[in-house]
Amino acid sequence: MRLDDGFPTTIRFSENPNVKFWEKTITPPGIMGGGGNETTTMRNTRVRTKAPKKLLDVGDMALTVAYDPEVIDEILEMAQVNQKMWIEWPDGSAEEVWGWIDEFNRNELTTDGEQPTADVVIVISNQDNDGEEVLPEYLSGGYPG
């Protein structure tokens, strides 16, 4: 089924499923092929040629979140810790990925009436804690926990 609305999309971490922040925006990871392998030789006569690479890359995720100041202790415990994560889609399905919180940047606190936010960068590692390659996985039944 096609998603017609991205609201609400949330993220859950295996190390702390109830981390004290609230998603405002999420940019899910992309999938990149890494460009082409150059295959041009001296026998080409008109154009340069390329072939696709064998390995894919799954890009980083970005979030903007509202937070409880208490989250800082939680982020310090989870930063740079490879773990399983679930992106929970509005239709009840989920995407399971492995990665870590690489950045938690609190934004400027400005005027009255503006909620404090932080920008979060999650690196998708594509490997579990045993070093085994793990692709993102779509879970039609949603978060398994």
Side-chain angles (χ1 to χ4, degrees):
M1 178 196 303
R2 176 185 75 207
L3 285 180
D4 290 331
D5 190 342
F7 181 83
T9 299
T10 57
I11 187 165
R12 192 179 303 258
F13 299 89
S14 60
E15 293 292 316
N16 186 344
N18 299 311
V19 64
K20 291 181 177 62
F21 65 55
W22 296 267
E23 302 85 342
K24 294 181 80 66
T25 66
I26 294 180
T27 303
I31 301 169
M32 288 104 27
N37 288 332
E38 181 70 35
T39 60
T40 305
T41 70
M42 291 295 185
R43 295 192 181 254
N44 286 69
T45 59
R46 182 76 178 128
V47 296
R48 297 181 186 278
T49 55
K50 302 178 207 92
K53 294 187 174 170
K54 301 290 184 203
L55 299 177
L56 297 172
D57 188 15
V58 178
D60 297 344
M61 285 184 61
L63 299 87
T64 299
V65 300
Y67 61 91
D68 178 332
E70 188 178 347
V71 79
I72 301 312
D73 289 341
E74 297 173 341
I75 296 300
L76 286 168
E77 287 184 18
M78 288 198 305
Q80 301 300 96
V81 175
N82 193 49
Q83 61 186 291
K84 198 181 291 189
M85 293 174 241
W86 298 270
I87 304 163
E88 298 180 282
W89 303 108
D91 66 357
S93 66
E95 183 175 345
E96 184 176 278
V97 297
W98 279 84
W100 65 84
I101 296 173
D102 193 54
E103 296 181 32
F104 186 89
N105 298 305
R106 290 175 277 183
N107 294 315
E108 179 179 36
L109 301 173
T110 57
T111 61
D112 179 43
E114 290 189 29
Q115 186 176 44
T117 61
D119 293 324
V120 181
V121 175
I122 296 173
V123 172
I124 304 300
S125 67
N126 299 311
Q127 66 178 352
D128 63 20
N129 290 329
D130 294 325
E132 297 295 321
E133 182 178 84
V134 180
L135 291 170
E137 183 180 356
Y138 174 75
L139 306 172
S140 60
Y143 169 67

